[in-house]
Amino acid sequence: MAMFTSVLVANRGEIARRVFRTARELGVSTVAVHSTADASMPYVGEADAAVHLPGNAPGETYLRTELLIEAARRAGADAVHPGYGFLSENATFARAVEDAGLAWIGPPPQAIESMGSKIEAKKLMDAAGVPVLPRLSADDVTEAELPVLVKASAGGGGRGMRVVHHLEDLRSEIAAAEAEALSAFGDGTVFCEPYLATGRHIEVQILADHHGTIWAVGERECSIQRRHQKVLEEAPSPLVERLPSMRAELFAAARKAAEAIGYVGAGTVEFLADDSGRFYFLEMNTRLQVEHPVTESTTGLDLVALQFAIASGEALPAEPPAALGHSIEVRLYAEDPACDWQPQTGTLQRFHLGDVAEFGPGGPRSGLPWLRVDSGVVSGSEVSPYYDAMLAKVIVWGATRAEAATRLAAELSKAQIHGVRTNRDLLVRTLRHPAFLAGDTDTAFFDRNGLEELSRPLAEPAVEELCALAAALADAARRRGTAKVQKGLPSGWRNVPSQAQTKSYRVGDSTYEVAYRLTRDGPVVAGDVRLVDAGAERVLLELGGVRRAFDVAAYPGLVCVDSALGSVALKPVERFADPSAQVAAGSLLAPMPGTVIRVAVKVGDKVEQGQPLLWLEAMKMEHTISAPADGMLAELAVGPGQQVEVGAVLAVVQAAEGEDA
């Protein structure tokens, strides 16, 4: 079978860019598809050809089989790579691609079908001798079997998944999981299984060719999760490193799973393990995994190139290369830890890390930098409400696990990420935490070590105040630099001592009013801080005899200050507030653009603090809008099906007497 000449990636963002990188190296031309919202995204411009899919929602665009195949025909593609997510594990789509005479860069449709339902997959694996957890009937769950996990049969990524600790909550949680699964995957089927609160999430990378060779290409551990979504992945697994005999058993089980369904291509067999090394089949992902870069970094393989080769009929060597060193990947999300991790939208004003290998493979065998970034965005990109909130995967290789963790934490802490709030501080604190460094990384890591503490900003309040001073001094330098008259005089200079210059900034719930004064000798004095130099973009301050540099970037309504002490985003406080921008006390504002999917209350209802009032759907997830205090619903501004913009008033709660609005 000859290598194809042009590949359409039926996906978007980071994974599309990743596949394009390998295709270019192989001399294969590339075709992108894009929604209306994605028209200006980097992956579209990087493709040799691009086809517009009218609309924004996945159901209108990336989930439309007929549109994707028509796009491939129009652009002259002779192969389709599905990426991950969307239709990557849809057997109907795979068959349609093959029926259209296009090469399908993925496993056989029947293999996808056999693993497409987690319920049926577990039956198959049980029959093949792969250990599985028992499936529980929702009608027969007893108090003794709690807690249980409700899972979507057709998907993953934490969607359609709920942990149930109380029997009386089971029905409502199943209904919520069904609704979310239907929205995300087009299939609302869910099932129950025992919930292991402190398990290890271990997965094995599989590659299988058409000639009967099956590789188990190392294992990965993905135990550190929040709301059942992976946050950090690494290879090899700390647990398996501690229990060497476990690796051979895992690999044998993974190969047995692949053999049972006649698997061909790249895939991942996922297991849940306990600290003793016992493990149970969770699911098989019949596609390239999000966390595949850590395997590439430790083995030197290009897994996408191997997908291309296998789809072209090439045979794998008898054995895969041995792994070398350690690799860690973190998922950088646009989300606000201080607001219940709500996804963030808007302009990513700046996105910059150090010397990186974009889309890898990275690591010692590649000759590329040991820091790798796989991202669908660049400086200036718009973060849309329609898709997943992940900005980038940041991957590092090290000779040892400790070295990799130290390197990655340092690079993340120095990164310039302006315009949207992220989980960066959580990632850095996790990488530096003693429990993580000791390999104590089960699925209860955040529960045990305190998610709130781990997500606390790296910059302490004293640093925030120092950054506010740097922002004010940079602003003064900027204004003097653009002044029409007396440009050489510093702002606020007086021949005799006068009142200090002041400026206020807000960071979260805190407001900092900074004051500084010019003297005859030139330096600005603010408490015990001495100004060394100030420009519009860089300020040097001396505190207690220690000089520190602050990089300052100003945008409309936002100032970002980066230093070795941490990164701080400040909002300038206007001296005279715009009355039209004020909202009524007790107003609940939309935290992001989205669609109201249901409302649980009506005007005049009494509500309690924390009570769910309505639900928004954005970024393929449901988001609950709850009452901020006890009181009465005085106004309801939206209804089911209504689209809302960020900041729109959804409802107004009139606080009970004696309560703060």
Side-chain angles (χ1 to χ4, degrees):
M1 189 187 302
M3 174 74 79
F4 28 80
T5 61
S6 179
V7 61
L8 178 141
V9 177
N11 219 295
R12 63 177 299 278
E14 164 261 323
I15 186 56
R17 296 184 78 196
R18 166 68 188 91
V19 177
F20 290 166
R21 195 270 298 171
T22 289
R24 284 192 298 270
E25 290 184 353
L26 295 175
V28 177
S29 67
T30 56
V31 180
V33 289
H34 67 88
S35 67
T36 302
D38 278 343
S40 61
M41 292 296 282
Y43 81 95
V44 179
E46 291 171 359
D48 296 314
V51 179
H52 178 215
L53 307 176
N56 288 320
E60 303 173 307
T61 54
Y62 301 106
L63 294 176
R64 294 279 297 276
T65 293
E66 72 281 8
L67 294 183
L68 295 168
I69 291 176
E70 176 60 23
R73 285 179 173 143
R74 286 166 57 191
D78 55 1
V80 173
H81 191 297
Y84 54 72
F86 294 135
L87 294 175
S88 62
E89 295 179 279
N90 186 299
T92 302
F93 178 54
R95 285 197 180 94
V97 169
E98 293 182 341
D99 290 345
L102 303 169
W104 168 249
I105 306 177
Q110 61 269 25
I112 298 175
E113 202 162 51
S114 61
M115 293 290 105
S117 163
K118 291 185 177 68
I119 295 172
E120 296 306 314
K122 290 197 172 191
K123 292 178 181 177
L124 273 172
M125 294 300 102
D126 191 24
V130 179
V132 299
L133 283 169
R135 178 178 165 231
L136 304 174
S137 168
D139 295 325
D140 301 326
V141 172
T142 66
E143 196 78 38
E145 292 170 316
L146 295 174
V148 297
L149 183 65
V150 180
K151 293 182 72 173
S153 180
R159 298 176 183 90
M161 190 178 292
R162 298 287 191 280
V163 178
V164 181
H165 293 276
H166 305 288
L167 210 53
E168 60 269 22
D169 297 334
L170 183 59
R171 286 296 165 193
S172 62
E173 294 290 18
I174 287 176
E178 288 173 338
E180 194 167 88
L182 184 63
S183 174
F185 314 117
D187 183 347
T189 305
V190 300
F191 66 97
C192 299
E193 67 181 17
Y195 176 61
L196 302 182
T198 58
R200 298 283 194 124
H201 193 129
I202 313 291
E203 58 190 34
V204 179
Q205 175 69 56
I206 287 292
L207 283 166
D209 63 20
H210 290 277
H211 309 281
T213 299
I214 301 176
W215 280 2
V217 196
E219 85 284 344
R220 301 184 285 257
E221 181 161 341
C222 316
S223 301
I224 295 185
Q225 302 175 12
R226 188 184 64 79
R227 295 176 181 171
H228 310 295
Q229 289 186 304
K230 298 169 186 174
V231 174
L232 183 150
E233 301 101 348
E234 56 185 314
S237 157
L239 175 64
V240 177
E241 287 286 274
R242 180 165 57 84
L243 303 170
S245 63
M246 185 180 175
R247 182 168 287 125
E249 296 171 8
L250 276 170
F251 287 7
R255 283 191 290 262
K256 193 180 293 184
E259 289 169 359
I261 60 172
Y263 199 78
V264 174
T268 300
V269 187
E270 301 195 357
F271 300 94
L272 188 65
D274 62 23
D275 274 345
S276 71
R278 291 177 300 181
F279 58 86
Y280 308 92
F281 173 84
L282 280 178
E283 61 186 1
M284 184 173 184
N285 295 128
T286 52
R287 53 167 168 81
L288 194 67
Q289 199 82 333
V290 178
E291 54 271 22
H292 76 275
V294 294
T295 297
E296 293 186 325
S297 292
T298 52
T299 62
L301 295 171
D302 182 331
L303 295 181
V304 176
L306 288 168
Q307 285 186 296
F308 280 34
I310 291 169
S312 299
E314 294 183 21
L316 292 169
E319 295 291 337
L324 176 66
H326 200 96
S327 183
I328 303 175
E329 169 184 297
V330 292
R331 302 190 189 190
L332 183 70
Y333 283 100
E335 58 188 6
D336 187 358
C339 294
D340 196 30
W341 302 90
Q342 290 171 350
Q344 301 293 291
T345 59
T347 303
L348 184 63
Q349 302 285 5
R350 183 178 297 177
F351 182 61
H352 176 73
L353 283 96
D355 183 20
V356 303
E358 278 197 302
F359 303 101
R365 292 185 171 115
S366 68
L368 295 172
W370 44 260
L371 178 67
R372 168 177 170 174
V373 175
D374 286 18
S375 177
V377 296
V378 295
S379 296
S381 292
E382 287 293 320
V383 182
S384 161
Y386 301 105
Y387 314 111
D388 189 85
M390 188 173 73
L391 296 177
K393 302 179 308 195
V394 186
I395 308 103
V396 76
W397 180 90
T400 65
R401 186 171 182 271
E403 181 181 300
T406 301
R407 282 178 167 177
L408 186 50
E411 291 297 332
L412 281 170
S413 65
K414 293 187 293 186
Q416 294 183 334
I417 309 167
H418 300 168
V420 295
R421 289 178 289 277
T422 73
N423 65 335
R424 184 248 302 270
D425 293 345
L426 169 69
L427 301 176
V428 174
R429 288 190 183 278
T430 298
L431 289 163
R432 290 173 173 168
H433 196 279
F436 174 80
L437 294 173
D440 187 8
T441 55
D442 62 32
T443 53
F445 182 88
F446 287 143
D447 293 334
R448 188 169 55 255
N449 296 295
L451 180 61
E452 185 175 347
E453 173 62 22
L454 285 168
S455 57
R456 185 170 53 82
L458 292 171
E460 301 291 344
V463 174
E464 293 178 346
E465 188 168 13
L466 207 55
C467 288
L469 174 60
L473 295 172
D475 180 57
R478 188 179 306 108
R479 285 187 280 110
R480 294 316 304 163
T482 57
K484 301 296 184 184
V485 296
Q486 296 184 329
K487 194 171 183 178
L489 286 179
S491 175
W493 185 85
R494 296 291 187 274
N495 193 41
V496 293
S498 181
Q499 65 184 18
Q501 299 283 94
T502 62
K503 195 167 181 65
S504 296
Y505 295 91
R506 186 174 295 115
V507 182
D509 295 330
S510 302
T511 299
Y512 297 100
E513 182 176 280
V514 294
Y516 56 93
R517 178 181 287 116
L518 296 174
T519 70
R520 287 178 180 273
D521 298 327
V524 173
V525 175
D528 59 348
V529 180
R530 189 177 75 85
L531 174 67
V532 178
D533 186 42
E537 297 181 351
R538 191 173 177 84
V539 174
L540 294 177
L541 299 176
E542 187 176 289
L543 176 63
V546 179
R547 181 179 297 186
R548 295 191 182 276
F550 297 83
D551 292 315
V552 182
Y555 310 100
L558 176 70
V559 181
C560 296
V561 181
D562 297 292
S563 75
L565 298 173
S567 298
V568 177
L570 306 112
K571 290 187 176 181
V573 177
E574 300 298 331
R575 294 182 187 274
F576 304 102
D578 181 359
S580 66
Q582 306 302 303
V583 296
S587 295
L588 300 179
L589 308 182
M592 69 204 77
T595 303
V596 179
I597 54 176
R598 58 186 189 278
V599 177
V601 290
K602 60 183 184 299
V603 173
D605 283 357
K606 290 185 177 180
V607 297
E608 297 179 354
Q609 183 176 6
Q611 177 184 337
L613 306 182
L614 56 93
W615 289 262
L616 283 180
E617 183 178 66
M619 293 183 171
K620 301 192 289 184
M621 297 285 283
E622 284 189 13
H623 305 279
T624 304
I625 308 299
S626 303
D630 294 348
M632 181 191 73
L633 189 71
E635 181 182 337
L636 183 62
V638 296
Q642 186 171 336
Q643 296 275 343
V644 296
E645 294 300 320
V646 62
V649 176
L650 304 175
V652 178
V653 173
Q654 181 180 326
E657 196 169 325
E659 294 281 349
D660 291 332

